[in-house]
Amino acid sequence: MSTDSLAEPLNHVSTRRLGSLRLRLTLAVPLLTAAIVAVFEWSLGNYESPAEGLARTAWLVLLLSAAQLILIEALLLRPLRRLAAGCEAMESAPVPLTPEAAVPTPGLAAELDRIGHAMLRARGSLWQQDQAARELRRELAQQRHLLQEAHSALEANQRELASLARIDALTGIANQRAFDEALRREFKRAQRLRGLLALAVLDLDQFKQFNLTHGTAVGDMALQRVASLLNERFKRDTDVVARLGGEEFVALLPGFGMAEAQGVLESLRDELRALRLPDGQGSLTLSVGLAAASPAHPYLSAQALLQAADEALYIAKHAGRDRLSLAA
């Protein structure tokens, strides 16, 4: 059977299919348009009578259907017809009998080459984009890791700064801010549990003169020795020793009454007298004001307890120094 005899049925099939498609579109488009226009027009309710509405709807359906069919013919059916004609032409072409006859025409070969080159360029572009995306993901992962490290370092610095904000830089013990927080906390706990709380304010006697005699460097080392002595003497987990500033220190002793705290502080004064100073010369003495809160002797506030200890220290200073005075 020849190729021409095969192409003829194919031509008829393609023509019948296009004709069938055109017929279905010609029937379906007006029906669908009529339904849409009817629903839209009747929803607006612009007509006084059904006859007027039907006439107006019919005209709209006719115009819209004609416009749609023209567009479908121009945009869909004509390209399909050309495509079918091209396929029919390719199908009706004679079958090559020799390898030389199988070589495509120069125009088709050039078109195939262009398509092949375009596909290669597209594949190369996709590969480059994939590599760029992978590189970007690696950079993002590195940046995320660096950001996490910076965040961890920042948190560590913040913790260190918070710790430094509560520690006296010279002596390494708590500063006044940390002491104020501990005093409020322990005072509330003693009130809630009806417990004991002793507070001692300690001041080195004539320390300004000591600095003038021995120098500020020796004076700083003496303050460090005193702070170390306080840490050694008051080393319970609940004890708090702090430097309020200059040569003034404070000791907060939860669970101690007046008698227990007085005994410990007298021993501390004796140890301070025996303390070996940095240059081996001179000596230091300590004046102490002591107040203690208890259920039998309560204070209205933590500030009132601190004020009572300050007043006792004032009495010890004016009574000749180097002594311990008890709050009334």
Side-chain angles (χ1 to χ4, degrees), residues 34-296:
I36 294 173
V37 171
V39 171
F40 180 74
E41 291 290 342
W42 287 110
S43 64
L44 294 178
N46 295 330
Y47 306 107
E48 297 179 356
S49 64
E52 181 184 356
L54 290 174
R56 179 64 178 273
T57 300
W59 278 107
L60 287 175
V61 169
L62 181 61
L63 293 176
L64 291 174
S65 299
Q68 291 179 75
L69 290 173
I70 292 172
L71 290 175
I72 291 172
E73 177 70 23
L75 300 179
L76 179 63
L77 295 179
R78 287 181 183 175
L80 286 176
R81 189 183 304 114
R82 288 195 295 270
L83 180 60
C87 293
E88 293 169 357
M90 293 179 64
E91 292 173 351
S92 62
V95 179
L97 300 179
T98 63
E100 292 78 6
V103 177
T105 60
L108 181 59
E111 183 66 24
L112 291 175
D113 287 340
R114 284 196 296 270
I115 294 174
H117 288 309
M119 292 179 66
L120 289 175
R121 287 195 299 271
R123 187 180 298 112
S125 177
L126 290 174
W127 183 84
Q128 291 178 353
Q129 292 177 7
D130 181 66
Q131 294 298 316
R134 291 183 180 180
E135 184 65 25
L136 180 60
R137 283 195 294 270
R138 284 195 294 268
E139 292 180 0
L140 288 176
Q142 293 176 355
Q143 293 296 331
R144 188 181 299 110
H145 180 66
L146 293 175
L147 183 62
Q148 290 174 350
E149 289 183 345
H151 183 68
S152 300
L154 179 60
E155 288 182 343
N157 290 335
Q158 289 176 342
R159 288 193 296 269
E160 184 178 357
L161 289 175
S163 176
L164 292 175
R166 300 166 58 85
I167 294 176
D168 180 63
L170 176 63
T171 61
I173 62 176
N175 60 13
Q176 183 166 3
R177 176 181 177 182
F179 164 73
D180 290 339
E181 294 176 358
L183 176 59
R184 289 192 295 268
R185 181 181 65 250
E186 295 300 334
F187 185 82
K188 290 179 180 179
R189 181 180 301 170
Q191 278 189 324
R192 185 174 64 255
L193 301 178
R194 296 183 61 80
L196 303 176
L197 180 62
L199 174 61
V201 181
L202 309 92
D203 190 85
L204 294 174
D205 296 325
Q206 297 178 339
F207 190 71
K208 292 182 180 179
Q209 184 61 42
F210 181 90
N211 273 338
L212 291 176
T213 303
H214 301 281
T216 55
V218 175
D220 289 346
M221 288 188 286
L223 291 174
Q224 292 170 349
R225 295 280 182 86
V226 172
S228 178
L229 180 62
L230 290 173
N231 267 334
E232 292 174 3
R233 173 56 60 180
F234 306 110
K235 54 186 178 181
R236 298 182 305 163
D237 292 340
T238 56
D239 294 339
V240 178
V241 293
R243 182 187 178 207
L244 298 185
E247 66 274 16
E248 190 173 23
F249 296 84
V250 66
L252 185 64
L253 310 173
F256 275 23
M258 187 72 80
E260 296 92 342
Q262 183 179 0
V264 175
L265 290 167
E266 289 292 359
S267 298
L268 176 68
R269 290 178 56 248
D270 294 338
E271 291 177 10
L272 182 61
R273 290 194 195 93
L275 184 66
R276 182 175 179 81
L277 297 179
D279 62 352
Q281 299 177 2
S283 61
L284 289 174
T285 59
L286 195 64
S287 296
V288 181
L290 175 62
S294 66

